[in-house]
Amino acid sequence: MKQQVETYKAHGNIEASNRYQDQINLLEERFKHCQEKLDRFTSPQAIFENKLTRAIADLRNVERSCCVLDIASAGSQNVHDQYQHCLKLYRTLSEIKPEIESIIKSGRHICSDSLTKDGKKLGARIDTLKHLYNTLGDTVTTSKNGLEKIIRLLTQFNQSIEMVVKWIGKQKHDRLENNNHVIDASSISEIESELKKCHVVFDEYKTMVDAAYLADISDRLNLIDREFKTRSIHPHRQRGRRRYRHGVQVFPAPEGAHRARRLSLRRRAAD
């Protein structure tokens, strides 16, 4: 095309020569732009920056998912779902750790190259990636440990509360079967100990979870306390005043026992 321009000029056709020259200039400009674009996407720095951008985007997605890991909202109804979500994020971070470390290492090497463009800016982005990964690792690990502790506490609470519930149910049944049923004092002490465990566990649980998520556990514990401490395990009331020891009814001696005791005392006095 450049040769044609010269030919037009030699024949005095200046207009055609200028038109061809404009076309040549436009093509050269477009070629230069494409070459720069190709270099930008195929150079080692360009390839690395694409990897860096994708890695940061992946970590931002994990960061957005961390909002549901707050252990303060780990009520008994949703703590297991939170824990499963936490494990998923934990596995994700573990899986991408080798890639993150590789990107940081290769990025430091590229930044040290004198031919790298905007090396300082690129180094700052690498620092952002490293800081973001470390922060997410700490957040997810802390949430994982906290959720596991809450699950252990709730498991202990449920085990102890079930023992109390079964004991109360047995006393109700035995009282219906035999109105003179006497509750073993040792079993009372054992159940009192289990109730105490429930309160200790609940007190620790309260320090970790917001009050809005405590209602179901608190209501259940209060109900069991009332069942154990009141007369609800003695549904058949008898006339006269009832006496209780440790929350359990003490039944009067059989009829005639007091008269026999009085006669015995009189005989001793007469002797």
Side-chain angles (χ1 to χ4, degrees), residues 34-50:
C34 291
Q35 186 66 50
E36 290 176 350
K37 192 172 183 180
L38 180 63
D39 292 341
R40 189 165 63 250
F41 286 99
T42 59
S43 67
Q45 181 177 350
I47 294 174
F48 169 77
E49 289 191 14
N50 287 335

Side-chain angles (χ1 to χ4, degrees), residues 183 185 188 192 234 242-251:
I183 302 174
I188 297 174
E192 285 178 335
H234 310 292
R242 284 187 167 189
R243 293 183 298 163
Y244 290 81
R245 182 179 298 133
H246 302 296
V248 180
Q249 182 179 356
V250 179
F251 289 91

Side-chain angles (χ1 to χ4, degrees), residues 180 238-239 241-243 249-255 257-258:
N180 292 323
Q238 298 178 351
R239 291 182 180 179
R241 183 178 180 183
R242 284 187 167 189
R243 293 183 298 163
Q249 182 179 356
V250 179
F251 289 91
E255 187 175 353
H258 292 299

